[in-house]
Structures are given as structure tokens and as C-alpha cells.
């Protein structure tokens, strides 16, 4: 037990995959088998290293745990400062779990530049874990930016025909967003002399300052989530990305936006957040309703799932910002439910969207088409796969008993505490989510065999079965017993609520 | 007892999991044995539970099984509430399910999806048990949606049929509209009481009664009315009440055993069960009760009418189910909760019987469902005929049959009710009696009597089905005939539901009925003199005259009343309307938002537009625009350094 406690677990989680990625990169393209194996070893090792973060996590405290702090750029008070609490730890585990699956997914599908492909994902994993673990805002910013590069390469090299447009759109959108955040970080450093995130939480700021900082960060995080109306890069990026890229993008990268709101916007600018919550609520509800309708008419499966991701992420931001409306009523009752619901929705969406993209990937690998119209009657030839697909589709539609239900349920219940109509609009996801998901399932999975290409399909192999089964177990486990996950967050969420309920001005 | 309670749903789940995951390994016989044993275990244990509560003086059980989640101080739990209502539902669900399991051996004999089918119906039994055994709203919602899932899977069981996979999606989506209301209803309850546990909520009903909720600005609504109506919207979806009834007739695309089990006997009655369970809430909102009664009455009469023009044997029974669900709903609205549950029980037996008998006819005729190609089957399928007759008599409320007692109690209850809408409901349920008798005997005559309209090939192969098929029919026919007589006293006038179903004194119409008639015999004698019996007789006589004596009349009527026929044939245009307005409208909105808002405005104008502007501007700066990522990355780092430098100096 203490064996682990004495190790710098967070540094290991960040650097092990990066070092592994570099090693894989140097192993070269001539030896794809070796590259795959090496990548598997490192991703598995990283996953194992992150497990004790959960096992040794102290669920009674809101303080940062597994903290590491070393001076880094001393003239600017910048530290190599890592630590996790109840909101970042689950996301780190989600990252290491998903990356492991992605490495297995690419096993035989990727034949072109295998080593570089695997290396990109490992390095990206390190950066993403770093983003979640960073307690110094400059360190956060560097990881936040750095992870764009491997993703940019993944889409640009292994992507579809229109990948250049998609990568540029992806890169510019996210890059422009984050530059503004950097400006606001520097402004606060000038004011308070520290880049430490926890110091920024305590930094007194006037309402005007808060509004500017809030808006600057909003751009950065809203693009990442993505929130309507800065969402249009996501469908393009997903369509062009290889399956692994889509999975990481949907399962992890979008979460960094949501995480940013919790780690930065809410605690640093609580008054501006309260002041401008109508903006976020509008954007979130638009995501749920408007994007739900848009998803309905998609012809391309990946686009459909991409739009569905935007709608589901709407619940995350809705949960995070509805708290101010709840607190307006004079009690905190329901506020924690909203924040925890948003968090649960993030983790759950990681599993489900990952699984949905993997399922489409399974079909794409065989048919080289993402068009719904090219499919029909897949269940006749791929019964095992169809069972998984229907299961994940139901999870995507928020069926109770799957993880997809938990977060939405919590956020809808909490929204009702604030306003009937907000809950009403949010609950339309019950209908819209089921409509777009099941209509796709009807056209792709069910029916008679549509054409000879479908007739020639082979059911999933052992590797694909393993990945889908692991995700199915995760989705089911979280749906049937979310308490262990929610329990981890309690002190952190309570602490955050206490913090934001006290005005800074 | 606690372990027994847990074992009841789990036994069914076990069978479902084994047959579902290892169907290939255990084979067909393995699949039906494991699921039948599972459900049989559930049934026997359910009987034990009922016996324990009734005879051995067992106490009501209300305890959590495990804590699903704690958030914000609210405990979300999975737990059981076992009282007389639960026990009765458990026995009905597992009993009918067991019969259907056995019947399925014969019905699905040649189907390649044999194991899958058994797995689904056992999974359904599990889900339905979790629904009725719930002690809190969250688990109720779990079971609610889980039975919806299994219904979806089973309607689309023959997934190659386009009509089947259309019907199952429609069923799921229409139910989701109901669930949308249901979930908001749950949210209302949580908001005002701070709990999702039944007993805790019932204990805090006052907070709902006093609570007000401002939905439209300026107008405050009573919280309990809002909560009850929203909950009832869920029931309208699940129990197929107008206008959310449209999925149930289409659900007949599924195999007949599930039409009997899910879409007649059990799942569709979940809404009825739920409202009865929530009687401590509904009692305090007369507005909600009136709403319930009017919706139920409308369904009871107008859906029955459609049954008259159907030619598909299963669809006639489906519309009959809609109509009977309407009767149960009317009873709920009249605060006669025990009567609703009573009719739910009798209906479960006789409607499952009618469906399974129809299934026996359908397989005997090699999957022919059109009644115009049947006729005179009485001599080929005697057992099926006699059990169908029993089922039909129960359905129309023939004096002494199970349906007579339950339906007549509903009519009496509505008659005595003083809530707004009761007058309308009374007329509707009375006319419904005539309609029910007419379409029921129309079916019986068209199928079993008259000339033989099937082709010669089909006639040669006609024979009574095997024991696995007729045995469940006979076992269901017995309660269809006698269970009303046996149970009306304890269920309605005794204290079976004491402490479970709650009725305010001023609403208590059942007690009023009970004051007049204390024995089944007295009740029956009173019924014989009532108008309902004569209406039923008239319906029977008319059907006999039109379909056996003078078959041309039906055709002539079709021509003479062409408009009425068309309205009925088109089911009041509900489907057409939904198709155009909701399905078409949603697709149109989606397309507009996507093509115009997303692609043209956001992407075309703003994103690519600004990219274009930047492009124009940067032609000047083209030298540095190399297009290589490493250059950009370098610029980024350089920029960072510059900014930091500026920050340090500033």
C-alpha cells in the first residue's frame, strides 16, 4: 500500500506515456508489431499506475492529493505543481482507460505509420493527464495546448479525404480560444503574483475584471466542450478523424472544456459566472434542443454521433451553471446534485461516445462508409456486434440502468429546483435523444440485408469483442451503481459550492 | 422473507441472462427450461408472498436493497415495498408470464430466434417485477423504462420486417413522450418533498398540496395537480391512453405471445398500477382526477369503435385492449382505485387468453391474421373455440364472468362519482359496453362461425395445436371465468387494499357500492337489472344479425356511412397527423437548423467568412504563412515568451 503512496504517481501517469510514446516513435515504422506491443505495454502500465489514484484516494477531504511541487520557472513563480481532487481524479482514470482501448483498437486497423500513430496517442495521453493534474495554470496551459498537436497530426495523417480543412478548423478554433485564456492568466498573475490555480481561486477581483476573465476563459472552454455556437469544428473533425482519434476527442478532449469550467471559471470568477449564467444556460439548452434536431437529420453516422455529443455535453454545462439559479432561491439544496450530475455526465459520455464511435469504426473498417444509407440489416450478419450497438444506442438515449441515464437524471432533477421550463427543455432529450439514436439504429442495424456489401460483413473478432465488452461493463456498472463515482466527488463539490456561494466582491 | 423478495425478480433475470448469453451453448430446450424454471420459481415464490401477507399475517415490507447513489443528501435507492397491491401484481405478472412461457414453446417452435425470445420475455418479467416491487420513484422509473426497452426489442423481434422495426421505434418514442412527463412529475415531487421514497413522499403530501408552482408567469398552479398530471402523462404513454395510444395497435407486429403478455396483460397496465400506487397523491387533486377520468373515458369508447372496422384478428383485440385500459383509467379517475386494479387483474387473464387463442388460430392457419380468410373454425379447433368463447364472455361482461364483476363495478363507480367529467365518462363507458359486445362477437363469428373462407390448402392442414399451446389456454380460461366471483368481496368490499390504496371519504364511491351489495350474488342480481347488461346483449344481437344472418349489411353500411367508415379506418387520423406534424416537423426543423443555421450562418458566414477575411489580410503577411505546423508551434512558443516577458516587465 505505502509502496504506491511514496511514488510520485501523478508524474508517473503523465510522463510514463510520454516516454513510452517517444520510445515507440524511435522504434520506427519498420517494425509495426514491436511498436504495437510496446504501445500496449506502456498504455497498460499507465492505466495500472493511475489505478492507485483511485484506490488510495481519500474521499473525506477536499484538499488536493498526491501533490507534487517543484520550482520550475522561478522568476515567474511558475511551479511544476501536480495534484488531484474529486473532479480531476475520475477524469484521469477515464483517460488512461480510454487510451488503452484506443491502442487495442488500432491494433490491426492501422497499417500506415504504425509507430507514429501509437506514439501520437501515448504522448497525447500524457498531455491530457497533465492537463487534469496540473495545479499551476501555466503548466495547465502548456498541456492544454500541447495535446492539440498530436491530435492535429492524428487527424491530418490518418484522417479522411477532407482532413486538411478539418484539422485547420479544429486547430484554429481551439487555438484562438486558448490564447485569450493565456491573456487572462497573465493579467491575474500581474495582480496577484501567482500562477497557482488555488491561489487564483482566492484572488479578489472586481466584477468588471471577473466578467472579462470569465468571457476570455469561456471562449477557451466553450470551444473545447464544444458549446453552441462554437461547435461546428467538432462534426468536421470527427468525420475526418480515424476511429481512435474520434474516441479520444469525444471521450476525453471535450471533457477538458467541462473540467476547465469547474477548475477555473466557477471558482475564479464566481460573481461573473452568476451574472452571466443566463448566457451559459441558453447555450446549453440550445445545445440540447437545437443540436438534438440537427442530429436527427444527419446522413453520416459519425456526424450524427458528433452532434449527439454536443447535445449530451449541453447537460454538463447546464449542470455546472444551473447552480447559481438554485442558490438564488436561498438554499444549496439541489446545487450539489447539479454539479455532480454534470461530472457524472462527463464520465458517462466518455464511455458512451467512445463506444459509439468504436461501433461505427467497426463497421467503417469493413465497409469504408459512414453513410447510413449504405447500411441496413447489419444484425443479420453481425448479431453479436448488433447486440453491442443496440446496447450503446440505448445508453446514448439515456436508458436507466446505463450510465447515460445517471447524469441526465441528476441534472434534470436539479434544474427543476431552479426553474420548471429549464427542466422541461432539458428533458426533451428523452425524446430527441431516443429519436435520433434509434432512427439510426433502425436504418443501420435492423431490417433485411440491404445490399451485397452488408451481406459480406463478418461479425466482430475477439479484439473488437474485448473492447466493446469492457465499455459495456463500464456503462452498465456506472448505470447500476454510480455511488462509488459520486462518492469520490462529494467533498470537492461541497468545497466548490461553499467557495462560489461567497461573493468575491 | 427478504431473501425471497430478492429471489423473485432475480430468478427471472437469471433465466434471461443464461438464455441470452449462452443460448447457443444450451440449445433450444435448454433455453426454455432455464427460463421457465426461473419464471416458475418467481411465480411460486410470489404466491408464497401473497399467502404470507393474507393468511399468515405477514407485515408489509419496505426496505432498501442497496443504495444506488447519495447526492446532495438525497438517497437514491433500489428497494422493495411489498404490500397486498404489490403481491397481487407479482402473482398476476408471473402467472401470466409463466403461461406465456409455456405457450411460446409451441408458438415459436420453428423460429430461429427461439432462445433470444425466451431471454427477452424472462427479462421482461424481471423488469416488470422490479417496477411493481419498487418502493421509490427512481426504481419505478427504472422498471418503467426497462419494460419499454424489452417491449421495443420484442415488437421488433422479427427485425427483417420493415413494419416491425417501424412499429418498435414508434412504440419507444411515443412512450418516451410519456416518460418525459413522468420524469418531470418525479422532479416536481422531489422539489416539493425532498424525497423519492414512496412513504416519505406520502408522508409529506401536505407540502405538495400547499405548494404552488408558477409555470406561466402570473398563474400559480397547485403543485399536486401539476405533479399528478405529469405522472399521469407517463401513464398515458405506457397504458396507451389517447392521444399517446398510437403505438399499441402497431405493436401487434411482434409475436403473439408478447402481445398477450406485454401489450395486454402486464406492461400496459403499469400506468394503471402506478396511479393506484400514487392514490395518496391523486386523491388530493380533483383536477387531476377529472383529467384522468375524461382521458380514460375517451379512450374507452372511441378506441373500441375502431375495433369494429379492423379485419386483422390481433388488431381487433389490440383496440379492445385500448378500450379496456380506458375503463381502468376511468375507474382511477373516479377514485375507485381498487376497482381499477380488480379490472386490471381480470383483464390480464381474459385478454391474455384471447390473445393466446388468437395466436393458436394464427398458427393453425400458417400465420394468417386476416379474419376475412377465416370462418367456421369451430369444428377444427374446438378447444380454442371454447376458451375464446369464455374469454369473449368475460370481455363483454356476461353476468357471472370475471369481467362482469370488474366492469360493472367501474360503471357503478363512475355513476356514483361526483367529480367534473363523471357524467361524460358514464355515457362513454355505457356506450362502450355495447361497442365491446359488438366487436367481440363480430370477431368470434367471423373466425369460428359462418362459412369457411380459407383456401383449400390451409383447410387441409387445420388441426388443434399441441398441449403446450392449449394447456395455458385452459389454465387462463379458468380464472377468466370465475376469478371475479371469488375475489370481488375481499378486493372491493373487504380490507385487502386497506392501508395501500387511499381514498378520501368524499370520493369513496367503492364504499358506497359496498353498502348496497355485500355478496357477489347480490351484485350480480343487481347487474342483471342494469342497463349495461342489456347494452351488451344488444351488441351481441347486432353482431349475430349482421355477421351470421345477413352478411351483406356490413358491406352496405360501409358504403352508406362512408365518411364514418373512413374516419374509423384511418383511426381518427392520429397516425397521419403525427407522421406529418411531429415526425415531418422534427425533420424539417432539423434540416433548417443544420443547413441554414449551422452550415450557412455559423460556418459559412462567421467561420469561413472570418477565415476569408484573415486570408485577404494576410496575403500581405504571406511570407510567414508557411503552412508547416512546426513553424506555427515555434510562433506559439515565441509568443508565449514575449507575453511572459511583457508580463514580467509590466
Amino acid at each position: 500500500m505505502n509502496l504506491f503512496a511514496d511514488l510520485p504517481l501523478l508524474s508517473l501517469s503523465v510522463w510514463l506515456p510520454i516516454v513510452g510514446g517517444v520510445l515507440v516513435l524511435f522504434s520506427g515504422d519498420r517494425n509495426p508489431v514491436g511498436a504495437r506491443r510496446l504501445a500496449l505495454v506502456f498504455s497498460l502500465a499507465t492505466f495500472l499506475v493511475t489505478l492507485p489514484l483511485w484506490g488510495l484516494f481519500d474521499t473525506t477531504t477536499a484538499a488536493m492529493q498526491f501533490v507534487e511541487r517543484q520550482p520550475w520557472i522561478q522568476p515567474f513563480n511558475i511551479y511544476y505543481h501536480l495534484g488531484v481532487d474529486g473532479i480531476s481524479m475520475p477524469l484521469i482514470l477515464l483517460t488512461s482507460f480510454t487510451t488503452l482501448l484506443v491502442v487495442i483498437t488500432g491494433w490491426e486497423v492501422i497499417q500506415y505509420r504504425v509507430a507514429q500513430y501509437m506514439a501520437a496517442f501515448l504522448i497525447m495521453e500524457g498531455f491530457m493527464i497533465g492537463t487534469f493534474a496540473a495545479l499551476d495554470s501555466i503548466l495547465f496551459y502548456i498541456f492544454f495546448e500541447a495535446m492539440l498537436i498530436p491530435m492535429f497530426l492524428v487527424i491530418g495523417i490518418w484522417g479522411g479525404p477532407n482532413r486538411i480543412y478539418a484539422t485547420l478548423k479544429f486547430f484554429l478554433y481551439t487555438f484562438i480560444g486558448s490564447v485569450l485564456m493565456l491573456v487572462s492568466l497573465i493579467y491575474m498573475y500581474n495582480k496577484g503574483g501567482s500562477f497557482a490555480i488555488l491561489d487564483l481561486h482566492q484572488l479578489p477581483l472586481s466584477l468588471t475584471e471577473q466578467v472579462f476573465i470569465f468571457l476570455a476563459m469561456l471562449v477557451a472552454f466553450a470551444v473545447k466542450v464544444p458549446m453552441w455556437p462554437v461547435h461546428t469544428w467538432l462534426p468536421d473533425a470527427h468525420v475526418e478523424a480515424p476511429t481512435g482519434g474520434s474516441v479520444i476527442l469525444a471521450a476525453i478532449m471535450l471533457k477538458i472544456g467541462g473540467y476547465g469550467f469547474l477548475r477555473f471559471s466557477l471558482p475564479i470568477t464566481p460573481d461573473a459566472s452568476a451574472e452571466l449564467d443566463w448566457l451559459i444556460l441558453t447555450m446549453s439548452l440550445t445545445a440540447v434542443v437545437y443540436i438534438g434536431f440537427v442530429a436527427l437529420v444527419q446522413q453520416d453516422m459519425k456526424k450524427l454521433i458528433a452532434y449527439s455529443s454536443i447535445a449530451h455535453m449541453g447537460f454538463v454545462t447546464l449542470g455546472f451553471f444551473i447552480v447559481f439559479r438554485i442558490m438564488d432561491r436561498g438554499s444549496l439544496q439541489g446545487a450539489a446534485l447539479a454539479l455532480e450530475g454534470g461530472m457524472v455526465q462527463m464520465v458517462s459520455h466518455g464511455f458512451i461516445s467512445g463506444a459509439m464511435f468504436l461501433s461505427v469504426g467497426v463497421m467503417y473498417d469493413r465497409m469504408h462508409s459512414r453513410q447510413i444509407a449504405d447500411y441496413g440489416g447489419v444484425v443479420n450478419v453481425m448479431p453479436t456486434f448488433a447486440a453491442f450497438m443496440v446496447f450503446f444506442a440505448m445508453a446514448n438515449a439515456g436508458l436507466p440502468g446505463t450510465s447515460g441515464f445517471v447524469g441526465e437524471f441528476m441534472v434534470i432533477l436539479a434544474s427543476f429546483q431552479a426553474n420548471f421550463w429549464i427542466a422541461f427543455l432539458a428533458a426533451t432529450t428523452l425524446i430527441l435523444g431516443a429519436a435520433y439514436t434509434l432512427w439510426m439504429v433502425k436504418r443501420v442495424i435492423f431490417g433485411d440485408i440491404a445490399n451485397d456489401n452488408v451481406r459480406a460483413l463478418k461479425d466482430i473478432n475477439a479484439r473488437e469483442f474485448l473492447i466493446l465488452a469492457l465499455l459495456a461493463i463500464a456503462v452498465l456498472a456506472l448505470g447500476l451503481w454510480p455511488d462509488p463515482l459520486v462518492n469520490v466527488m462529494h467533498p470537492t463539490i461541497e468545497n466548490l459550492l461553499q467557495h462560489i456561494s461567497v461573493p468575491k466582491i | 422473507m427478504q431473501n425471497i423478495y430478492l429471489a423473485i425478480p432475480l430468478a427471472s433475470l437469471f433465466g434471461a441472462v443464461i438464455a441470452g448469453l449462452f443460448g447457443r451453448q444450451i440449445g433450444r430446450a435448454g433455453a426454455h427450461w432455464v427460463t421457465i424454471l426461473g419464471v416458475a420459481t418467481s411465480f411460486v415464490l410470489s404466491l408464497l408472498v401473497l399467502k404470507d401477507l393474507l393468511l399468515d399475517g405477514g407485515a408489509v415490507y419496505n426496505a432498501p436493497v442497496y443504495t444506488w447513489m447519495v447526492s446532495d443528501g438525497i438517497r437514491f435507492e433500489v428497494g422493495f415495498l411489498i404490500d397486498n397491491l404489490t403481491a397481487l401484481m407479482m402473482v398476476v405478472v408471473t402467472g401470466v408470464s409463466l403461461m406465456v412461457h409455456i405457450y411460446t414453446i409451441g408458438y415459436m417452435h420453428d423460429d430461429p430466434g427461439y432462445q433470444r425470445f425466451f431471454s427477452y420475455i424472462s427479462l421482461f418479467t424481471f423488469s416488470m417485477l422490479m417496477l411493481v416491487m419498487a418502493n421509490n420513484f427512481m426504481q419505478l422509473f427504472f422498471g418503467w423504462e426497462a419494460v419499454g426497452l424489452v417491449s421495443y426489442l420484442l415488437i421488433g423481434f422479427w427485425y427483417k420486417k420493415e413494419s416491425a422495426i417501424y412499429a418498435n421505434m414508434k412504440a419507444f418514442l411515443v412512450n418516451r413522450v410519456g416518460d418525459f412527463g413522468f420524469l418531470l412529475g418525479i422532479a416536481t415531487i422531489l422539489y416539493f418533498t425532498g424525497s423519492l421514497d414512496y412513504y416519505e413522499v406520502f408522508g409529506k403530501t401536505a407540502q405538495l398540496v400547499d405548494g404552488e408552482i408558477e409555470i406561466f408567469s402570473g398563474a400559480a398552479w397547485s403543485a399536486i395537480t401539476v405533479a399528478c398530471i405529469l405522472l399521469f402523462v407517463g401513464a398515458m404513454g405506457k397504458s396507451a391512453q389517447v392521444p399517446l395510444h398510437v403505438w399499441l395497435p402497431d405493436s401487434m407486429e411482434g409475436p403473439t405471445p408478447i402481445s398477450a403478455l406485454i401489450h395486454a396483460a402486464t406492461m400496459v397496465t403499469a400506468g394503471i398500477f402506478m396511479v393506484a400506487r400514487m392514490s395518496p397523491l391523486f386523491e388530493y387533486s380533483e383536477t387531476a382526477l377529472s383529467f384522468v377520468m375524461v382521458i380514460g373515458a375517451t379512450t374507452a369508447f372511441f378506441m373500441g369503435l375502431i375495433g369494429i372496422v379492423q379485419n386483422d384478428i390481433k388488431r381487433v383485440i389490440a383496440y379492445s385492449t385500448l378500450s379496456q385500459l380506458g375503463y381502468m383509467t376511468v375507474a382511477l379517475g373516479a377514485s375507485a382505485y381498487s376497482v381499477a386494479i380488480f379490472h386490471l387483474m381480470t383483464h390480464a387473464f381474459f385478454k391474455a387468453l384471447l390473445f393466446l387463442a388468437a395466436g393458436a388460430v394464427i398458427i393453425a392457419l400458417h400465420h394468417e391474421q386476416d379474419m376475412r380468410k377465416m370462418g367456421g373454425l369451430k369444428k377444427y379447433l374446438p378447444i380454442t373455440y371454447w376458451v375464446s368463447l369464455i374469454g369473449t364472455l368475460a370481455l363483454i361482461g356476461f353476468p357471472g364472468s370475471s369481467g362482469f364483476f370488474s366492469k360493472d363495478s367501474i360503471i357503478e363507480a363512475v355513476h356514483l362519482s361526483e367529480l367534473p367529467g363523471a357524467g361524460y365518462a358514464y355515457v362513454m363507458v355505457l356506450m362502450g359496453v355495447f361497442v365491446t359486445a359488438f366487436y367481440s362477437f363480430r370477431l368470434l363469428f367471423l373466425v369460428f362461425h359462418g362459412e369457411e373462407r380459407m383456401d383449400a390448402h390451409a383447410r387441409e392442414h387445420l388441426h388443434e395445436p399441441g398441449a403446450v399451446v392449449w394447456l395455458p389456454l385452459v389454465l387462463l380460461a379458468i380464472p377468466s371465468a370465475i376469478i371475479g366471483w371469488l375475489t370481488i368481496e375481499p378486493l372491493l368490499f373487504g380490507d385487502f387494499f386497506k392501508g395501500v390504496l387511499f381514498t378520501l371519504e368524499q370520493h369513496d364511491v367503492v364504499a358506497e357500492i359496498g353498502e348496497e351489495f355485500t355478496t357477489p350474488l347480490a351484485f350480480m342480481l343487481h347487474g342483471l337489472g342494469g342497463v349495461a347488461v342489456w347494452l351488451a346483449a344488444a351488441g351481441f344481437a347486432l353482431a349475430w344479425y349482421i355477421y351470421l344472418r345477413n352478411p351483406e349489411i356490413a358491406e352496405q353500411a360501409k358504403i352508406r356511412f362512408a365518411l364514418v367508415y373512413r374516419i374509423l379506418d384511418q383511426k381518427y387520423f392520429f397516425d397521419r397527423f403525427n407522421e406529418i406534424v411531429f415526425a415531418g416537423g422534427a425533420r424539417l426543423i432539423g434540416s433548417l437548423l443544420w443547413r441554414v443555421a449551422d452550415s450557412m450562418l455559423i460556418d459559412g458566414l462567421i467561420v469561413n467568412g472570418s477565415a476569408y477575411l484573415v486570408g485577404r489580410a494576410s496575403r500581405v503577411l504571406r511570407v510567414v504563412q508557411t503552412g508547416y505546423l512546426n513553424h506555427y508551434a515555434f510562433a506559439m512558443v515565441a509568443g508565449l515568451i514575449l507575453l511572459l516577458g511583457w508580463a514580467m516587465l509590466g
Side-chain angles (χ1 to χ4, degrees), chain B residues 306-319:
Chain B
I306 299 181
I308 295 175
V309 300
Q310 296 296 315
N311 289 317
D312 181 316
I313 183 171
K314 280 181 74 180
R315 292 209 174 227
V316 178
I317 310 178
Y319 280 103

Side-chain angles (χ1 to χ4, degrees), chain A residues 28-39:
Chain A
D29 277 332
R30 301 237 179 93
N31 181 10
V33 179
R36 282 181 199 127
R37 286 187 183 154
L38 201 57

Side-chain angles (χ1 to χ4, degrees), chain B residues 434-463:
Chain B
F434 171 78
V435 174
T436 308
F438 182 74
Y439 69 65
S440 300
F441 275 99
R442 170 177 177 262
L443 183 147
L444 200 75
F445 293 146
L446 282 176
V447 173
F448 291 103
H449 295 265
E451 58 173 313
E452 301 171 8
R453 294 178 299 274
M454 53 279 189
D455 58 42
H457 176 75
R459 188 174 307 140
E460 273 171 36
H461 290 84
L462 268 176
H463 61 85

Side-chain angles (χ1 to χ4, degrees), chain A residues 316-395:
Chain A
V316 175
T317 45
L318 176 63
F320 290 169
F321 282 86
I322 197 76
V323 291
F324 297 103
R325 295 281 149 129
I326 296 172
M327 290 191 300
D328 272 355
R329 288 178 42 247
S331 86
L332 284 175
Q333 170 77 42
L337 191 64
L339 286 179
E340 290 174 355
M343 271 301 297
V344 171
Q345 175 77 348
M346 291 224 281
V347 175
S348 155
H349 180 257
F351 294 141
I352 297 170
S353 65
M356 289 299 282
F357 279 115
L358 281 166
S359 298
V360 174
V362 164
M363 290 189 282
Y364 183 80
D365 291 341
R366 290 162 171 73
M367 296 265 290
H368 299 286
S369 167
R370 298 178 311 261
Q371 297 302 313
I372 292 173
D374 289 343
Y375 290 86
V378 169
V379 63
N380 295 288
V381 283
M382 303 176 73
T384 309
F385 168 73
F388 277 117
M389 178 92 179
V390 171
F391 174 76
F392 292 126
M394 281 295 170

Side-chain angles (χ1 to χ4, degrees), chain A residues 169 231-232 290 334 340 421 480, chain B residues 66 71-72 159 215 598 603:
Chain A
K169 201 169 172 181
H231 63 281
T232 60
Y290 165 129
E340 290 174 355
W421 287 108
L480 292 177
Chain B
Y66 73 93
S71 177
D72 219 358
Y159 48 73
I215 291 181
D598 255 35
D603 255 6

Side-chain angles (χ1 to χ4, degrees), chain B residues 4-42:
Chain B
I4 293 182
Y5 299 144
L6 201 55
I8 290 170
L10 290 185
S12 294
L13 179 66
F14 176 77
V17 170
I18 298 294
L21 295 184
F22 307 105
R24 225 169 291 170
Q25 286 81 353
I26 60 175
R28 292 173 155 246
H32 72 232
W33 275 114
V34 72
T35 50
I36 287 176
L37 282 177
V39 172
T41 309
S42 301

